[in-house]
Amino acid sequence: MSSNETDLRDEKPQFVLPLVVRIERDAPPSRTDALETAARAVLEILTDDRSVGDGEWAQAMTDWQDARIRKVVRRARGAEWRRAGALPGISVDGAEAEVRVFPPVPLDGWPKELAKLQVSGTDLDDPAPPGPVPDGAVVLWLNPGLDMSAGKTMAQTGHGAQLLWWAMDDADRASWQEAGFPLAVRTATPEHWAALAASDLPVVRDAGFTEIAPGKTVAAEGSPRFAPHLRLPRP
């Protein structure tokens, strides 16, 4: 993207895609499950009938994608989660995680039920290392050199899933959607990340507005079943 194109995107009205993760004090989800669930939530709203064509969210989705692709993750529990669930949106369940995604809103125009939710406090842990990548899942590889909160990382994995969706052809998209968007989030080794970052795979470049300096955060790699052309060459 040229600097002129970047400037044009900045001149457009700015929208943000809100995501809310449920974090109850006594039963927080595991970090990786929350990251994967957030990524699938982004894919679900991108492909929802209300987001395309003449759907009720279509104009907001178009306006959001015409400007900078911003996503913000907030946390909720108890009554906060129930109030968020009453707003128009899509709830997506992982093994433990619950994430609700909402149609884009103006950067300074959040619904009051969401505006009062906290961005901080989304630190989550994995009680055990994630297992092997499931067969047929695409992989969203995290930059091992970054230290991001779970909320920030959820936004980044959402970006990665969206870039991968845009890079797929229609047949791959249809197959991936029909399968339920199987995906995995894993942290690359430094050597693997260097190869990913230098490849032609979709790579998220964060603008550096929050938490980290501008740079690459996530690389999205297609599976042998979905977008086989979006994988690193194997030796």
Side-chain angles (χ1 to χ4, degrees):
M1 179 181 298
S2 71
S3 59
N4 183 57
E5 288 172 320
T6 301
D7 291 343
L8 291 176
R9 288 167 66 88
D10 287 338
E11 291 172 3
K12 294 177 180 291
Q14 300 296 306
F15 287 76
V16 60
L17 187 78
L19 296 104
V20 175
V21 57
R22 184 178 185 183
I23 303 180
E24 300 289 349
R25 287 189 179 90
D26 58 346
S30 65
R31 182 183 176 93
T32 295
D33 189 36
L35 301 180
E36 294 172 349
T37 305
R40 287 194 294 109
V42 171
L43 294 165
E44 290 289 351
I45 198 166
L46 284 172
T47 57
D48 191 276
D49 288 344
R50 291 166 288 184
S51 297
V52 298
D54 296 326
E56 60 192 276
W57 300 342
Q59 188 59 56
M61 293 292 288
T62 297
D63 291 342
W64 167 59
Q65 293 177 87
D66 279 350
R68 284 188 178 271
I69 308 299
R70 301 176 188 262
K71 301 178 181 72
V72 172
V73 178
R74 301 186 181 224
R75 63 176 172 85
R77 62 171 61 98
E80 296 173 333
W81 176 254
R82 291 190 292 273
R83 286 193 291 269
L87 297 176
I90 302 170
S91 291
V92 178
D93 295 337
E96 305 163 342
E98 296 177 70
V99 174
R100 188 163 178 83
V101 60
F102 304 86
V105 297
L107 200 57
D108 57 355
W110 286 65
K112 64 180 186 300
E113 295 89 347
L114 302 182
K116 63 180 63 175
L117 299 178
Q118 296 295 311
V119 176
S120 61
T122 57
D123 293 323
L124 299 169
D125 297 311
D126 282 319
V133 173
D135 290 341
V138 308
V139 187
L140 305 175
W141 293 104
L142 302 178
N143 181 341
L146 298 178
D147 182 15
M148 298 182 289
S149 68
K152 174 73 172 181
T153 313
M154 289 168 69
Q156 299 301 302
T157 57
H159 293 333
Q162 186 169 0
L163 290 181
L164 184 60
W165 177 257
W166 285 348
M168 287 181 171
D169 60 30
D170 289 343
D172 282 335
R173 287 181 179 181
S175 297
W176 196 25
Q177 183 176 9
E178 185 177 348
F181 299 119
L183 59 84
V185 175
R186 297 292 186 270
T187 301
T189 64
E191 296 77 16
H192 188 200
W193 176 256
L196 291 164
S199 73
D200 291 330
L201 296 176
V203 176
V204 178
R205 291 168 173 82
D206 188 70
F209 292 135
T210 60
E211 290 195 24
I212 59 173
K216 298 177 180 180
T217 59
V218 175
E221 189 171 35
S223 78
R225 290 172 55 198
F226 312 109
H229 53 291
L230 294 172
R231 292 184 65 84
L232 283 179
R234 298 305 184 210

PDB file of all heavy atoms in Angstrom, residues 1-14 65-70 205-207 209:
ATOM      1  N   MET A   1       0.845  -1.189   0.000  1.00  0.00           N
ATOM      2  CA  MET A   1       0.000   0.000   0.000  1.00  0.00           C
ATOM      3  C   MET A   1       0.880   1.238   0.000  1.00  0.00           C
ATOM      4  O   MET A   1       1.802   1.363   0.800  1.00  0.00           O
ATOM      5  CB  MET A   1      -0.894  -0.011   1.237  1.00  0.00           C
ATOM      6  CG  MET A   1      -1.811   1.202   1.361  1.00  0.00           C
ATOM      7  SD  MET A   1      -2.812   1.122   2.853  1.00  0.00           S
ATOM      8  CE  MET A   1      -3.764  -0.364   2.550  1.00  0.00           C
ATOM      9  N   SER A   2       0.615   2.180  -0.881  1.00  0.00           N
ATOM     10  CA  SER A   2       1.413   3.391  -0.952  1.00  0.00           C
ATOM     11  C   SER A   2       1.054   4.331   0.180  1.00  0.00           C
ATOM     12  O   SER A   2       0.014   4.206   0.820  1.00  0.00           O
ATOM     13  CB  SER A   2       1.166   4.087  -2.290  1.00  0.00           C
ATOM     14  OG  SER A   2      -0.140   4.642  -2.313  1.00  0.00           O
ATOM     15  N   SER A   3       1.936   5.315   0.416  1.00  0.00           N
ATOM     16  CA  SER A   3       1.656   6.287   1.468  1.00  0.00           C
ATOM     17  C   SER A   3       0.406   7.085   1.140  1.00  0.00           C
ATOM     18  O   SER A   3      -0.362   7.462   2.034  1.00  0.00           O
ATOM     19  CB  SER A   3       2.847   7.226   1.650  1.00  0.00           C
ATOM     20  OG  SER A   3       3.133   7.907   0.435  1.00  0.00           O
ATOM     21  N   ASN A   4       0.153   7.333  -0.155  1.00  0.00           N
ATOM     22  CA  ASN A   4      -1.043   8.069  -0.540  1.00  0.00           C
ATOM     23  C   ASN A   4      -2.297   7.278  -0.199  1.00  0.00           C
ATOM     24  O   ASN A   4      -3.280   7.826   0.300  1.00  0.00           O
ATOM     25  CB  ASN A   4      -1.015   8.379  -2.032  1.00  0.00           C
ATOM     26  CG  ASN A   4      -2.203   9.221  -2.484  1.00  0.00           C
ATOM     27  OD1 ASN A   4      -2.421  10.299  -1.962  1.00  0.00           O
ATOM     28  ND2 ASN A   4      -2.974   8.712  -3.440  1.00  0.00           N
ATOM     29  N   GLU A   5      -2.274   5.957  -0.478  1.00  0.00           N
ATOM     30  CA  GLU A   5      -3.409   5.117  -0.126  1.00  0.00           C
ATOM     31  C   GLU A   5      -3.623   5.095   1.378  1.00  0.00           C
ATOM     32  O   GLU A   5      -4.748   5.129   1.860  1.00  0.00           O
ATOM     33  CB  GLU A   5      -3.194   3.699  -0.654  1.00  0.00           C
ATOM     34  CG  GLU A   5      -3.323   3.587  -2.170  1.00  0.00           C
ATOM     35  CD  GLU A   5      -2.913   2.222  -2.666  1.00  0.00           C
ATOM     36  OE1 GLU A   5      -1.920   1.677  -2.137  1.00  0.00           O
ATOM     37  OE2 GLU A   5      -3.554   1.719  -3.585  1.00  0.00           O
ATOM     38  N   THR A   6      -2.529   5.058   2.132  1.00  0.00           N
ATOM     39  CA  THR A   6      -2.649   5.080   3.581  1.00  0.00           C
ATOM     40  C   THR A   6      -3.291   6.381   4.034  1.00  0.00           C
ATOM     41  O   THR A   6      -4.167   6.398   4.900  1.00  0.00           O
ATOM     42  CB  THR A   6      -1.254   4.920   4.233  1.00  0.00           C
ATOM     43  OG1 THR A   6      -0.686   3.690   3.803  1.00  0.00           O
ATOM     44  CG2 THR A   6      -1.367   4.921   5.740  1.00  0.00           C
ATOM     45  N   ASP A   7      -2.870   7.491   3.433  1.00  0.00           N
ATOM     46  CA  ASP A   7      -3.445   8.784   3.803  1.00  0.00           C
ATOM     47  C   ASP A   7      -4.935   8.820   3.502  1.00  0.00           C
ATOM     48  O   ASP A   7      -5.723   9.361   4.282  1.00  0.00           O
ATOM     49  CB  ASP A   7      -2.732   9.908   3.048  1.00  0.00           C
ATOM     50  CG  ASP A   7      -1.299  10.100   3.501  1.00  0.00           C
ATOM     51  OD1 ASP A   7      -0.950   9.615   4.590  1.00  0.00           O
ATOM     52  OD2 ASP A   7      -0.544  10.729   2.740  1.00  0.00           O
ATOM     53  N   LEU A   8      -5.339   8.277   2.355  1.00  0.00           N
ATOM     54  CA  LEU A   8      -6.752   8.265   1.997  1.00  0.00           C
ATOM     55  C   LEU A   8      -7.562   7.461   3.004  1.00  0.00           C
ATOM     56  O   LEU A   8      -8.668   7.855   3.380  1.00  0.00           O
ATOM     57  CB  LEU A   8      -6.929   7.689   0.588  1.00  0.00           C
ATOM     58  CG  LEU A   8      -6.413   8.555  -0.563  1.00  0.00           C
ATOM     59  CD1 LEU A   8      -6.567   7.820  -1.887  1.00  0.00           C
ATOM     60  CD2 LEU A   8      -7.160   9.888  -0.597  1.00  0.00           C
ATOM     61  N   ARG A   9      -7.027   6.343   3.469  1.00  0.00           N
ATOM     62  CA  ARG A   9      -7.725   5.550   4.474  1.00  0.00           C
ATOM     63  C   ARG A   9      -7.840   6.322   5.780  1.00  0.00           C
ATOM     64  O   ARG A   9      -8.855   6.251   6.458  1.00  0.00           O
ATOM     65  CB  ARG A   9      -6.998   4.223   4.691  1.00  0.00           C
ATOM     66  CG  ARG A   9      -7.138   3.246   3.540  1.00  0.00           C
ATOM     67  CD  ARG A   9      -6.166   2.089   3.661  1.00  0.00           C
ATOM     68  NE  ARG A   9      -6.448   1.253   4.806  1.00  0.00           N
ATOM     69  CZ  ARG A   9      -7.289   0.220   4.794  1.00  0.00           C
ATOM     70  NH1 ARG A   9      -7.946  -0.084   3.692  1.00  0.00           N
ATOM     71  NH2 ARG A   9      -7.476  -0.512   5.865  1.00  0.00           N
ATOM     72  N   ASP A  10      -6.819   7.088   6.115  1.00  0.00           N
ATOM     73  CA  ASP A  10      -6.852   7.858   7.352  1.00  0.00           C
ATOM     74  C   ASP A  10      -7.847   9.012   7.277  1.00  0.00           C
ATOM     75  O   ASP A  10      -8.362   9.463   8.305  1.00  0.00           O
ATOM     76  CB  ASP A  10      -5.462   8.409   7.668  1.00  0.00           C
ATOM     77  CG  ASP A  10      -4.504   7.326   8.136  1.00  0.00           C
ATOM     78  OD1 ASP A  10      -4.993   6.273   8.612  1.00  0.00           O
ATOM     79  OD2 ASP A  10      -3.284   7.516   8.019  1.00  0.00           O
ATOM     80  N   GLU A  11      -8.099   9.494   6.063  1.00  0.00           N
ATOM     81  CA  GLU A  11      -9.023  10.615   5.904  1.00  0.00           C
ATOM     82  C   GLU A  11     -10.488  10.191   5.994  1.00  0.00           C
ATOM     83  O   GLU A  11     -11.364  11.029   6.195  1.00  0.00           O
ATOM     84  CB  GLU A  11      -8.778  11.298   4.553  1.00  0.00           C
ATOM     85  CG  GLU A  11      -7.448  12.042   4.477  1.00  0.00           C
ATOM     86  CD  GLU A  11      -7.152  12.546   3.081  1.00  0.00           C
ATOM     87  OE1 GLU A  11      -8.023  12.359   2.192  1.00  0.00           O
ATOM     88  OE2 GLU A  11      -6.060  13.106   2.871  1.00  0.00           O
ATOM     89  N   LYS A  12     -10.747   8.916   5.839  1.00  0.00           N
ATOM     90  CA  LYS A  12     -12.120   8.423   5.913  1.00  0.00           C
ATOM     91  C   LYS A  12     -12.584   8.364   7.373  1.00  0.00           C
ATOM     92  O   LYS A  12     -11.760   8.280   8.292  1.00  0.00           O
ATOM     93  CB  LYS A  12     -12.215   7.031   5.284  1.00  0.00           C
ATOM     94  CG  LYS A  12     -11.949   7.012   3.786  1.00  0.00           C
ATOM     95  CD  LYS A  12     -11.991   5.593   3.260  1.00  0.00           C
ATOM     96  CE  LYS A  12     -11.731   5.560   1.758  1.00  0.00           C
ATOM     97  NZ  LYS A  12     -12.838   6.149   0.996  1.00  0.00           N
ATOM     98  N   PRO A  13     -13.908   8.389   7.632  1.00  0.00           N
ATOM     99  CA  PRO A  13     -14.410   8.204   8.995  1.00  0.00           C
ATOM    100  C   PRO A  13     -13.894   6.869   9.550  1.00  0.00           C
ATOM    101  O   PRO A  13     -13.905   5.853   8.860  1.00  0.00           O
ATOM    102  CB  PRO A  13     -15.925   8.191   8.817  1.00  0.00           C
ATOM    103  CG  PRO A  13     -16.169   8.959   7.555  1.00  0.00           C
ATOM    104  CD  PRO A  13     -14.992   8.655   6.668  1.00  0.00           C
ATOM    105  N   GLN A  14     -13.435   6.900  10.784  1.00  0.00           N
ATOM    106  CA  GLN A  14     -12.819   5.720  11.385  1.00  0.00           C
ATOM    107  C   GLN A  14     -13.835   4.937  12.211  1.00  0.00           C
ATOM    108  O   GLN A  14     -14.558   5.505  13.038  1.00  0.00           O
ATOM    109  CB  GLN A  14     -11.634   6.124  12.254  1.00  0.00           C
ATOM    110  CG  GLN A  14     -10.531   6.851  11.492  1.00  0.00           C
ATOM    111  CD  GLN A  14      -9.876   5.979  10.441  1.00  0.00           C
ATOM    112  OE1 GLN A  14      -9.395   4.880  10.738  1.00  0.00           O
ATOM    113  NE2 GLN A  14      -9.826   6.458   9.200  1.00  0.00           N
ATOM    114  N   GLN A  65     -14.199  -1.318   6.771  1.00  0.00           N
ATOM    115  CA  GLN A  65     -13.128  -1.888   5.959  1.00  0.00           C
ATOM    116  C   GLN A  65     -12.536  -0.888   4.977  1.00  0.00           C
ATOM    117  O   GLN A  65     -11.427  -1.092   4.472  1.00  0.00           O
ATOM    118  CB  GLN A  65     -13.648  -3.133   5.233  1.00  0.00           C
ATOM    119  CG  GLN A  65     -13.971  -4.272   6.197  1.00  0.00           C
ATOM    120  CD  GLN A  65     -14.551  -5.485   5.517  1.00  0.00           C
ATOM    121  OE1 GLN A  65     -13.828  -6.361   5.052  1.00  0.00           O
ATOM    122  NE2 GLN A  65     -15.873  -5.557   5.462  1.00  0.00           N
ATOM    123  N   ASP A  66     -13.223   0.218   4.724  1.00  0.00           N
ATOM    124  CA  ASP A  66     -12.686   1.257   3.856  1.00  0.00           C
ATOM    125  C   ASP A  66     -11.650   2.125   4.565  1.00  0.00           C
ATOM    126  O   ASP A  66     -10.859   2.802   3.914  1.00  0.00           O
ATOM    127  CB  ASP A  66     -13.814   2.156   3.336  1.00  0.00           C
ATOM    128  CG  ASP A  66     -14.543   1.547   2.157  1.00  0.00           C
ATOM    129  OD1 ASP A  66     -14.056   0.530   1.620  1.00  0.00           O
ATOM    130  OD2 ASP A  66     -15.607   2.076   1.780  1.00  0.00           O
ATOM    131  N   ALA A  67     -11.666   2.123   5.885  1.00  0.00           N
ATOM    132  CA  ALA A  67     -10.708   2.906   6.659  1.00  0.00           C
ATOM    133  C   ALA A  67      -9.705   1.948   7.293  1.00  0.00           C
ATOM    134  O   ALA A  67      -9.506   0.838   6.816  1.00  0.00           O
ATOM    135  CB  ALA A  67     -11.450   3.735   7.714  1.00  0.00           C
ATOM    136  N   ARG A  68      -9.042   2.358   8.355  1.00  0.00           N
ATOM    137  CA  ARG A  68      -8.136   1.443   9.048  1.00  0.00           C
ATOM    138  C   ARG A  68      -8.953   0.315   9.686  1.00  0.00           C
ATOM    139  O   ARG A  68     -10.032   0.553  10.208  1.00  0.00           O
ATOM    140  CB  ARG A  68      -7.350   2.175  10.133  1.00  0.00           C
ATOM    141  CG  ARG A  68      -6.221   3.049   9.604  1.00  0.00           C
ATOM    142  CD  ARG A  68      -5.385   3.583  10.747  1.00  0.00           C
ATOM    143  NE  ARG A  68      -4.268   4.399  10.289  1.00  0.00           N
ATOM    144  CZ  ARG A  68      -3.072   3.913  10.001  1.00  0.00           C
ATOM    145  NH1 ARG A  68      -2.840   2.616  10.090  1.00  0.00           N
ATOM    146  NH2 ARG A  68      -2.102   4.715   9.608  1.00  0.00           N
ATOM    147  N   ILE A  69      -8.404  -0.894   9.637  1.00  0.00           N
ATOM    148  CA  ILE A  69      -9.126  -2.044  10.177  1.00  0.00           C
ATOM    149  C   ILE A  69      -8.822  -2.142  11.673  1.00  0.00           C
ATOM    150  O   ILE A  69      -7.861  -2.795  12.092  1.00  0.00           O
ATOM    151  CB  ILE A  69      -8.735  -3.343   9.440  1.00  0.00           C
ATOM    152  CG1 ILE A  69      -8.885  -3.158   7.938  1.00  0.00           C
ATOM    153  CG2 ILE A  69      -9.601  -4.507   9.924  1.00  0.00           C
ATOM    154  CD1 ILE A  69     -10.280  -2.825   7.482  1.00  0.00           C
ATOM    155  N   ARG A  70      -9.623  -1.476  12.456  1.00  0.00           N
ATOM    156  CA  ARG A  70      -9.418  -1.438  13.901  1.00  0.00           C
ATOM    157  C   ARG A  70     -10.323  -2.456  14.596  1.00  0.00           C
ATOM    158  O   ARG A  70     -11.498  -2.600  14.231  1.00  0.00           O
ATOM    159  CB  ARG A  70      -9.720  -0.048  14.459  1.00  0.00           C
ATOM    160  CG  ARG A  70      -8.877   1.084  13.876  1.00  0.00           C
ATOM    161  CD  ARG A  70      -9.347   2.411  14.453  1.00  0.00           C
ATOM    162  NE  ARG A  70      -8.708   3.546  13.810  1.00  0.00           N
ATOM    163  CZ  ARG A  70      -7.666   4.193  14.297  1.00  0.00           C
ATOM    164  NH1 ARG A  70      -7.133   3.802  15.438  1.00  0.00           N
ATOM    165  NH2 ARG A  70      -7.155   5.231  13.662  1.00  0.00           N
ATOM    166  N   ARG A 205       0.532  -6.129  10.166  1.00  0.00           N
ATOM    167  CA  ARG A 205       1.458  -5.054  10.529  1.00  0.00           C
ATOM    168  C   ARG A 205       0.719  -4.077  11.434  1.00  0.00           C
ATOM    169  O   ARG A 205      -0.123  -3.314  10.972  1.00  0.00           O
ATOM    170  CB  ARG A 205       1.986  -4.363   9.264  1.00  0.00           C
ATOM    171  CG  ARG A 205       2.907  -5.245   8.435  1.00  0.00           C
ATOM    172  CD  ARG A 205       3.167  -4.659   7.065  1.00  0.00           C
ATOM    173  NE  ARG A 205       4.184  -5.410   6.328  1.00  0.00           N
ATOM    174  CZ  ARG A 205       3.947  -6.536   5.651  1.00  0.00           C
ATOM    175  NH1 ARG A 205       2.713  -7.044   5.627  1.00  0.00           N
ATOM    176  NH2 ARG A 205       4.918  -7.162   5.006  1.00  0.00           N
ATOM    177  N   ASP A 206       1.037  -4.122  12.703  1.00  0.00           N
ATOM    178  CA  ASP A 206       0.341  -3.277  13.670  1.00  0.00           C
ATOM    179  C   ASP A 206       0.846  -1.847  13.569  1.00  0.00           C
ATOM    180  O   ASP A 206       2.046  -1.602  13.384  1.00  0.00           O
ATOM    181  CB  ASP A 206       0.561  -3.814  15.089  1.00  0.00           C
ATOM    182  CG  ASP A 206      -0.290  -3.083  16.107  1.00  0.00           C
ATOM    183  OD1 ASP A 206      -1.523  -3.262  16.085  1.00  0.00           O
ATOM    184  OD2 ASP A 206       0.274  -2.326  16.925  1.00  0.00           O
ATOM    185  N   ALA A 207      -0.079  -0.895  13.697  1.00  0.00           N
ATOM    186  CA  ALA A 207       0.287   0.517  13.561  1.00  0.00           C
ATOM    187  C   ALA A 207       0.989   1.061  14.797  1.00  0.00           C
ATOM    188  O   ALA A 207       1.524   2.175  14.766  1.00  0.00           O
ATOM    189  CB  ALA A 207      -0.953   1.352  13.261  1.00  0.00           C
ATOM    190  N   PHE A 209      -0.410   1.791  17.837  1.00  0.00           N
ATOM    191  CA  PHE A 209      -1.174   2.748  18.640  1.00  0.00           C
ATOM    192  C   PHE A 209      -1.207   2.352  20.120  1.00  0.00           C
ATOM    193  O   PHE A 209      -1.302   3.211  20.996  1.00  0.00           O
ATOM    194  CB  PHE A 209      -2.616   2.851  18.111  1.00  0.00           C
ATOM    195  CG  PHE A 209      -2.716   3.477  16.746  1.00  0.00           C
ATOM    196  CD1 PHE A 209      -3.533   2.918  15.783  1.00  0.00           C
ATOM    197  CD2 PHE A 209      -2.017   4.628  16.427  1.00  0.00           C
ATOM    198  CE1 PHE A 209      -3.642   3.492  14.521  1.00  0.00           C
ATOM    199  CE2 PHE A 209      -2.113   5.214  15.182  1.00  0.00           C
ATOM    200  CZ  PHE A 209      -2.928   4.640  14.227  1.00  0.00           C
TER     201      PHE A 209
END
